[in-house]
Amino acid sequence: MTCVKWHNVWSRWFCLSCGIQQGGVLSPYLFAIYIDSLVEKVQACGYGCYLRHTCISIILYADDVLLLSPSVSSLQLILSVFEKELHRLDMMINVKKSLCLRIGPHHNAK
């Protein structure tokens, strides 16, 4: 049995017939298994960053995802692969919580 809290208001109790509660002990593990195909698709697309032949184009921490690419055009290709797999998983990117950071070439200060 579970209920939902929205601000200071609680719902009625109801039976949770599938899934698990947020914050449950198994939540992070099951989420990682659920989105494992995202990692596989991004790594397999070949558009990202590599460190000694290891793809480091996608980094996960809890439910946050960091996508890395060597160029803006590569990032767009990775995002297309990512979005297609999210659609298959019935998930979406929250654009209000997303951002893109572009870092240019580094120059030594003299």
Side-chain angles (χ1 to χ4, degrees), residues 30-105:
L30 293 176
F31 183 72
I33 292 168
Y34 185 71
I35 65 165
D36 193 51
S37 63
L38 283 170
V39 175
E40 290 173 358
K41 298 284 184 186
V42 168
Q43 288 178 335
C45 77
Y47 302 124
C49 294
Y50 288 83
L51 180 63
R52 295 186 183 186
H53 308 291
T54 301
C55 179
I56 57 166
S57 298
I58 183 167
I59 299 172
L60 305 173
Y61 182 79
D63 62 348
D64 294 323
V65 178
L66 174 64
L67 298 175
L68 301 170
S69 78
S71 68
V72 174
S73 57
S74 292
L75 180 59
Q76 184 59 59
L77 293 168
I78 291 171
L79 277 170
S80 296
V81 169
F82 190 74
E83 188 175 34
K84 183 177 179 182
E85 186 61 17
L86 282 176
H87 180 71
R88 192 186 72 75
L89 294 171
D90 197 25
M91 297 176 74
M92 294 174 52
I93 295 173
N94 185 342
V95 294
K96 291 182 180 179
K97 292 184 176 181
S98 301
L99 62 95
C100 182
L101 177 64
R102 183 176 181 186
I103 300 174

Side-chain angles (χ1 to χ4, degrees), residues 6-20:
W6 179 259
H7 297 286
N8 290 326
V9 179
W10 294 83
S11 73
R12 294 177 299 177
W13 287 90
F14 58 93
C15 181
L16 186 64
S17 59
C18 66
I20 60 172

